[in-house]
Amino acid sequence: MALGRKLISEGVGKMTVYVRKSIFVLLAFLVALPLIFVPSANPMVSAASDATINLSAERQLIRGFGGMNHPAWIGDLTAPQRETAFGNGANQLGFSILRVYVDPNPNNWYREVATAKRAIELGALVIASPWNPPDDMVETFNRNGDPNAKRLRYDKYTAYAQHLNDFVTYMKNNGAELYAISVQNEPDYAHEWTWWTPQEILRFMRENAGSINSKVIAPESFQYLKNLSDPILNDPQALANMDILGAHTYGTSIGNMPYPLFKQKGAGRELWMTEVYYPNSDNNSADRWPEALDVAYHIHHNMVEAEFQAYIWWYIRRQYGPMKEDGTISKRGYSMAHFSKFVRPGFVRVDATKNPDTNVFVSAYKGNNKVVIVAVNRGSSAVNQNFVLQNGSATNVNRWITDSSRNLEAGTPLNASSGSFFAHLPANSVTTFEADLGGSTVGTIYEAETGTTLTNASPDSFYPGYSGTGYVDFTAATGASILWNNIYCATAGTKNVKIRYALASGTRNLDVFINGTRVLTNTPFAATGSWSTWGEKTISVQMNSGINSLRLVTTGTEGPNIDWIQVSPQ
């Protein structure tokens, strides 16, 4: 969190934050527009297109939802508030991630321990972010006319890495082991703390981050500006030392949420949204409706468009946060809880029709043999929405609703035995549906031409019969490859990998690598008869639980054209 942003909401420090403030004034105006035109008559119920949930089309693994505790600035959560935040019973938020502060003074580290310990006991992950290095590691410099801007001294990079290591060790020794630690909170919006250029972050990640005894988060840009993370992704050594690409989405447009370079080069790395408040930090705004509904709307886009694996709010307890100052859950908190209580760590997002009606936004997830669907209706009219389940089945569907008068209230169960169910989505509401999955789902298909890293190979669409937008054509005799780096498996074990390919004549061989290790050598692919005749070959390989990579590499001759792979349990 930017201290400057904190001061905006509390009446001081405004001179340093005009850019951020203007963003949120615009966002507040956009949020207010629907309120201006709400008709006074009873709203009509509209019909929407089907929302199709494809249970076999898996996307990102979900790590969880959570928020920041900051005792140094606003005081610690009380013991009951820790239960409200990280418990998952009635009147609890179900948060599964806690973010804490790395104070530059080690004498203050004790402040973070109590809440972190309890969060871990309740099953949460704990991450940490620094705002400043210790004073003796900082120097001032002239930045755009500001002679008092701060940066890490260039001769203190090693010492700073040790400072972060010391915090990791301290928390572990006090029963609050970190999942990951950040290099710097918002290095590109540092009016009250330490600035880093993209080149400085790159140098630290390449030369020093590898010595940190925890997963490393970088670069935590305030607005998910890619110029700060592109150099890391393009540098193999820096990338090897980054475990989580962290970002904040203050004012980030929906169009700027996808990150193709991360999909191309971020194999084995996680993608987290590590701080935001939305749509504003106005005093006592936590219960405004339908403004608070936009929290769920924002989470939807962070999950669907950006494909983040985590969503972390700023202060957990604040007059604009998910928990109010009196420790009760706010309307904003209930909007978050529609995700955090049901989409649990280890779930995976699956494809869903993301916008089946003008004001309806749908995302879907599966895990623990359940499917969870979250539907946000931002319109002033109710919608009767049909949901269709593909590649899986359910019978009874439970649902919970938050609108102007209800807070996560249980609705009447629905029947989905025919493979679909209709649901009434009230005006300005968020509804979570949860159902036990029956039977089994088919394997997950991963296209070759999208979401892969290609070496001496390229997408093509000349020959017909492919699925998706095309296929991949190997363009070199030896060492050309296709790398899928986001294959999710709920459990470890033997998996069947079906490969759809075309080969006009002869036999061509491929090596198969799983998680960087070659597991099959010179696997033969026989001719299918023409480049537009598609065949299938199935191999069996061992995969881990969680995220896996699979790489096909040519050996001696060029390979066949590859359309997709399908991964399923044996």
Side-chain angles (χ1 to χ4, degrees):
M1 168 63 180
L3 177 58
R5 289 197 302 277
K6 170 180 178 285
L7 295 176
I8 285 178
S9 65
E10 299 177 4
V12 293
K14 296 180 181 178
M15 295 300 293
T16 61
V17 288
Y18 283 151
V19 173
R20 184 74 55 83
K21 183 178 180 182
S22 65
I23 291 170
F24 285 104
V25 167
L26 174 61
L27 290 173
F29 174 73
L30 293 175
V31 169
L33 280 177
L35 302 180
I36 297 172
F37 298 105
V38 172
S40 59
N42 291 330
M44 297 290 290
V45 176
S46 63
S49 302
D50 287 350
T52 300
I53 314 302
N54 186 350
L55 291 162
S56 70
E58 298 178 348
R59 298 306 172 193
Q60 76 268 30
L61 175 71
I62 304 300
R63 290 297 186 190
F65 303 83
M68 177 92 184
N69 186 47
H70 209 322
W73 288 358
I74 62 167
D76 199 1
L77 295 177
T78 65
Q81 289 167 0
R82 293 168 193 149
E83 304 303 308
T84 300
F86 300 101
N88 200 25
N91 301 313
Q92 295 178 331
L93 285 164
F95 283 176
S96 50
I97 300 175
L98 168 67
R99 184 175 180 235
V100 301
Y101 173 55
V102 183
D103 198 298
N105 184 353
N107 292 327
N108 295 327
W109 289 350
Y110 71 92
R111 296 169 172 166
E112 311 302 329
V113 172
T115 293
K117 284 183 66 174
R118 185 56 183 151
I120 290 170
E121 290 169 356
L122 292 169
L125 301 176
V126 179
I127 65 170
S129 293
W131 270 244
N132 286 299
D135 290 343
D136 65 342
M137 299 182 192
V138 177
E139 65 181 3
T140 58
F141 71 108
N142 191 310
R143 183 185 184 278
N144 298 333
D146 177 9
N148 297 312
K150 295 188 295 186
R151 69 183 174 204
L152 178 66
R153 285 170 47 182
Y154 290 169
D155 63 341
K156 293 293 185 179
Y157 278 39
T158 300
Y160 182 56
Q162 185 58 52
H163 169 72
L164 298 180
N165 255 336
D166 289 344
F167 185 79
V168 171
T169 300
Y170 178 88
M171 294 297 284
K172 182 176 181 179
N173 290 345
N174 284 275
E177 185 170 1
L178 299 179
Y179 180 75
I181 191 167
S182 172
V183 173
Q184 171 68 49
N185 171 76
E186 295 182 350
D188 53 346
Y189 190 84
H191 297 282
E192 286 87 25
W193 52 89
T194 305
W195 292 97
W196 296 63
T197 66
Q199 293 73 29
E200 290 164 351
I201 284 278
L202 176 63
R203 175 193 158 187
F204 185 87
M205 290 303 300
R206 186 171 55 224
E207 299 178 6
N208 304 98
S211 67
I212 297 174
N213 298 318
S214 176
K215 293 181 184 295
V216 174
I217 303 171
E220 286 204 281
S221 166
F222 86 99
Q223 203 177 40
Y224 202 12
L225 301 179
K226 312 303 193 297
N227 68 306
L228 209 62
S229 47
D230 280 354
I232 300 172
L233 292 170
N234 285 320
D235 186 289
Q237 185 56 54
L239 181 60
N241 293 332
M242 183 184 75
D243 300 283
I244 299 172
L245 196 160
H248 302 175
T249 52
Y250 288 103
T252 306
S253 67
I254 295 171
N256 285 332
M257 284 189 175
Y259 198 176
L261 186 64
F262 179 82
K263 282 199 167 187
Q264 179 186 357
K265 296 192 173 182
R269 307 302 181 271
E270 298 185 15
L271 185 63
W272 288 34
M273 200 292 296
T274 53
E275 185 198 303
V276 79
Y277 58 74
Y278 187 90
N280 53 52
S281 60
D282 292 352
N283 288 338
N284 302 310
S285 59
D287 282 331
R288 290 181 194 154
W289 197 265
E291 181 180 286
L293 177 64
D294 272 0
V295 174
Y297 170 74
H298 193 246
I299 295 175
H300 166 87
H301 288 297
N302 276 253
M303 295 291 106
V304 173
E305 304 298 342
E307 298 190 81
F308 285 121
Q309 297 174 254
Y311 184 98
I312 302 173
W313 188 263
W314 176 221
Y315 290 131
I316 294 174
R317 184 195 65 220
R318 210 60 174 155
Q319 68 270 21
Y320 54 86
M323 184 190 298
K324 293 179 288 188
E325 296 291 357
D326 63 2
T328 59
I329 298 174
S330 68
K331 282 287 192 180
R332 289 186 176 188
Y334 283 111
S335 286
M336 282 194 73
H338 275 270
F339 292 86
S340 58
K341 288 180 70 68
F342 302 94
V343 184
R344 302 302 294 167
F347 277 46
V348 62
R349 187 176 71 85
V350 297
D351 272 353
T353 306
K354 62 184 180 182
N355 190 199
D357 191 75
T358 303
N359 294 306
V360 175
F361 302 88
V362 174
S363 61
Y365 312 82
K366 69 177 183 182
N368 296 336
N369 203 38
K370 297 178 183 294
V371 58
V372 173
I373 303 167
V374 185
V376 180
N377 180 13
R378 296 180 80 216
S380 58
S381 298
V383 173
N384 285 332
Q385 180 65 58
N386 190 44
F387 296 88
V388 179
L389 300 179
Q390 290 183 341
N391 300 314
S393 62
T395 51
N396 290 329
V397 179
N398 296 313
R399 55 177 168 163
W400 292 263
I401 303 160
T402 296
D403 59 13
S404 60
S405 61
R406 291 176 283 187
N407 294 323
L408 210 67
E409 182 177 302
T412 305
L414 304 169
N415 185 283
S417 59
S418 63
S420 65
F421 63 94
F422 263 103
H424 181 79
L425 306 180
N428 293 315
S429 69
V430 53
T431 305
T432 295
F433 304 92
E434 182 187 67
D436 292 330
L437 290 173
S440 59
T441 58
V442 301
T444 302
I445 290 178
Y446 300 88
E447 295 287 346
E449 74 279 6
T450 58
T452 52
T453 300
L454 304 179
T455 302
N456 293 322
S458 62
D460 203 346
S461 58
F462 182 79
Y463 295 104
Y466 55 81
S467 70
T469 60
Y471 53 87
V472 168
D473 180 6
F474 292 106
T475 57
T478 302
S481 68
I482 308 170
L483 172 65
W484 291 265
N485 53 39
N486 196 31
I487 298 173
Y488 173 75
C489 297
T491 60
T494 303
K495 311 297 176 181
N496 286 332
V497 179
K498 184 184 294 183
I499 304 167
R500 189 170 192 256
Y501 72 98
L503 178 59
S505 61
T507 298
R508 296 183 180 180
N509 299 332
L510 297 176
D511 284 352
V512 180
F513 290 76
I514 300 295
N515 299 322
T517 300
R518 183 165 54 191
V519 296
L520 295 173
T521 302
N522 287 324
T523 302
F525 287 76
T528 60
S530 76
W531 291 112
S532 57
T533 300
W534 296 90
E536 295 174 352
K537 182 179 181 67
T538 300
I539 59 175
S540 295
V541 296
Q542 293 289 319
M543 289 190 179
N544 301 326
S545 61
I547 299 298
N548 294 265
S549 67
L550 185 149
R551 188 180 182 207
L552 299 179
V553 183
T554 59
T555 61
T557 62
E558 291 207 34
N561 290 342
I562 304 295
D563 188 17
W564 49 248
I565 62 172
Q566 182 186 54
V567 181
S568 60
Q570 192 173 55

